[in-house]
Amino acid sequence: MARAAGARGRTRWRGRCGRCGRGALLACAAWTAGWVLAAALLLRAHPGVLSERCTDEKSRRILAALCQDYEGGALAGDLCEDLCAAGRLRYRRCLYYERGKKVLQADWRGRPVILKSKEEDFASFPPLSLLEGPAEEGGQDVLEAELLLLVAGEVRSALGLELSRSRLGALWPRGRGPRWRRQLASLWALLQQEEFVLLSLLRDLSRHALPVLGSCGHFYAVEYLAAGSPRHRALFPLDGAAGGSPGGRGQAKAISDMALSFLDMVSHFDNDFSHRLHLCDVKPENFAIRSDFTVVAIDVDMAFFEPKMREILEQNCTGDEDCNFFDCFSKCDLRVNKCGAQRVNSNLQVVCDKIFRHWFSSTLKSSAISFQLQWQLREAVRECADPGGPAGDPQRAAPKVFWKLQRLLQASLRELQEAGK
């Protein structure tokens, strides 16, 4: 382009376009594609950028439409009667809308719960093809084998898992009453929501995940727990458990208890299932604590079992930065321009970086914990968040630093207990 001398204004511009029109077009297309991809990743990481306004008026309209579909026989669920007729499930407030997802708070028989759905309307979910024809007497038995295959396909798509028939059977209604078809239609809408599928499979298997309490149509209910926030000094609301000043023994004990529970959760997700469960969006807002300081993952939209994680990571690349899927990283093989399917960082490393650094990067100003122990904790968290520096191997370093952190946190609890005598 620089050699296109002697022209002026539009003549010069046209000369340039004529000489490199195809190259410029390809460069423009690549530039545009890069920005589209960047925008998509930005919206997934920060969905609030284009989130619609969360209002009580709209939330009430959404639930009114849900009840209208229930009364019209289009959907069913064990919470529909309480929500739409008995008044035992009452809307309280709108929490947030994200990329179509609706998250509402309600009171169910005096208990605070969260109502969630990936979409606003029941009709937004593709219907179950087996139910599109007219109902036939005795046809329910014919559906069983086909339904099993369809449910298995949805679970495989959502989680990347191949489940046994007995595990799959727990996901759909066994009753053969007059509401069976609408129950299946409702369940099909729920199975198209990855978080519902994951939480349903983890029910009774994990103290660190919320159990699904029930559903109505495409909305499902989980326990309400106050989410963490960077605005909290201890990241999570302690509801008086700290029992004193920000640097007091109460808060120091609460932080040690929460940190130990985070370690327990990491070990649980790494080792207690048939496949490792990867957490790709670790931040205080996605966790909560119970009154006994047990950590609970309250938003698992970005949690993936190993088979699905490998599928996500194995993408085309030109450098390592193309292989970072939020908090889950891989490496780019420049020989084939492909990201490795193996995650190179770990849940523990990200928890240390995103949670523990906030707690242990500076002195706790508590005379109840010795300065030496606080320093050891700080160094252990630094080692955990960046194991061995750029050339380190997080997966190999994880067990060693895990036990070191656990030992130091238990020692801090012993010091706090002795100080309280």
Side-chain angles (χ1 to χ4, degrees):
M1 290 193 210
R3 292 195 295 268
R8 295 292 185 269
R10 293 181 181 175
T11 303
R12 184 174 184 177
W13 172 246
R14 287 172 182 164
R16 289 181 177 180
C17 288
R19 270 182 286 272
C20 58
R22 185 177 180 185
L25 183 62
L26 290 173
C28 181
W31 180 86
T32 302
W35 275 106
V36 169
L37 178 60
L41 292 175
L42 174 66
L43 288 177
R44 183 152 188 176
H46 304 283
V49 172
L50 290 182
S51 293
E52 57 184 309
R53 188 182 174 196
C54 184
T55 67
D56 288 333
E57 181 183 0
K58 180 165 186 178
S59 299
R60 292 183 189 277
R61 285 204 309 267
I62 291 171
L63 294 182
L66 178 69
C67 287
Q68 187 175 2
D69 285 341
Y70 167 67
E71 292 160 0
L75 54 83
D78 50 3
L79 296 181
C80 289
E81 190 69 16
D82 281 356
L83 175 65
C84 303
R88 289 189 288 263
L89 178 56
R90 295 181 178 274
Y91 170 82
R92 182 174 175 185
R93 64 185 175 120
C94 181
L95 293 181
Y96 61 88
Y97 300 159
E98 284 187 359
R99 307 185 309 275
K101 184 177 181 179
K102 303 297 184 286
V103 181
L104 317 175
Q105 186 177 343
D107 288 321
W108 181 42
R109 304 187 182 196
R111 175 185 186 180
V113 297
I114 301 295
L115 296 175
K116 292 185 175 186
S117 176
K118 191 176 180 179
E119 301 287 349
E120 178 177 325
D121 300 313
F122 185 66
S124 298
F125 294 92
L128 180 61
S129 59
L130 294 178
L131 298 178
E132 290 181 338
E136 297 181 8
E137 187 174 355
Q140 293 169 349
D141 293 332
V142 179
L143 288 174
E144 187 79 18
E146 295 176 80
L147 182 61
L148 181 65
L149 291 175
L150 289 171
V151 172
E154 283 298 311
V155 173
R156 190 185 308 113
S157 174
L159 305 182
L161 298 181
E162 300 282 352
L163 297 183
S164 65
R165 185 186 181 93
S166 60
R167 293 287 289 153
L168 288 171
L171 290 175
W172 75 76
R174 286 295 186 183
R176 301 296 191 182
R179 296 186 177 184
W180 192 70
R181 288 175 66 88
R182 69 180 77 169
Q183 287 174 331
L184 283 182
S186 301
L187 178 61
W188 190 246
L190 292 170
L191 287 175
Q192 295 172 63
Q193 305 182 57
E194 293 86 349
E195 185 178 60
F196 171 82
V197 178
L198 178 58
L199 292 178
S200 296
L201 293 177
L202 292 181
R203 185 172 183 172
D204 300 325
L205 297 177
S206 177
R207 58 195 169 280
H208 296 290
L210 292 172
V212 175
L213 302 175
S215 63
C216 179
H218 56 302
F219 273 86
Y220 58 98
V222 295
E223 177 184 4
Y224 171 79
L225 290 173
S229 169
R231 294 189 298 270
H232 293 298
R233 188 182 296 271
L235 293 182
F236 299 94
L238 299 179
D239 295 330
S245 64
R249 282 198 304 269
Q251 178 158 309
K253 181 181 184 304
I255 287 174
S256 296
D257 282 329
M258 288 188 291
L260 282 168
S261 187
F262 264 107
L263 291 181
D264 183 73
M265 181 190 71
V266 165
S267 176
H268 174 56
F269 287 168
D270 281 355
N271 303 307
D272 292 351
F273 305 122
S274 56
H275 297 283
R276 177 173 296 175
L277 182 61
H278 295 272
L279 302 176
C280 294
D281 191 13
V282 174
K283 57 186 178 183
E285 297 90 332
N286 287 344
F287 299 93
I289 58 165
R290 298 189 185 279
S291 58
D292 63 354
F293 300 112
T294 297
V295 173
V296 181
I298 60 173
D299 188 331
V300 292
D301 278 335
M302 297 284 283
F304 307 98
F305 283 111
E306 180 73 22
K308 189 70 174 181
M309 185 80 267
R310 297 177 69 88
E311 178 185 323
I312 291 170
L313 290 176
E314 203 169 22
Q315 304 296 328
N316 294 331
C317 62
T318 57
D320 287 345
E321 64 277 3
D322 297 330
C323 303
N324 295 346
F325 184 76
F326 301 95
D327 291 330
C328 295
F329 302 159
S330 179
K331 290 283 188 182
C332 182
D333 185 346
L334 294 176
R335 295 170 299 178
V336 293
N337 292 113
K338 198 87 169 176
C339 297
Q342 182 69 38
R343 183 184 177 187
V344 297
N345 65 340
S346 66
N347 288 339
L348 177 62
Q349 184 180 358
V350 181
V351 165
C352 284
D353 186 34
K354 299 290 188 70
I355 305 294
F356 287 5
R357 277 192 196 271
H358 179 90
W359 287 334
F360 303 112
S361 60
S362 60
T363 303
L364 294 175
K365 300 178 183 178
S366 169
S367 59
I369 298 180
S370 66
F371 176 81
Q372 180 183 6
L373 183 53
Q374 291 187 56
W375 179 83
Q376 289 175 318
L377 273 168
R378 184 166 63 248
E379 289 301 300
V381 168
R382 182 194 57 76
E383 177 187 351
C384 174
D386 187 21
D393 184 345
Q395 299 294 349
R396 298 182 72 180
K400 178 181 176 182
V401 75
F402 176 93
W403 295 115
K404 181 188 290 187
L405 282 167
Q406 187 179 72
R407 176 177 55 79
L408 291 171
L409 289 167
Q410 290 170 342
S412 71
L413 286 177
R414 287 194 296 272
E415 284 196 2
L416 289 167
Q417 186 177 10
E418 288 297 321
K421 291 182 178 179

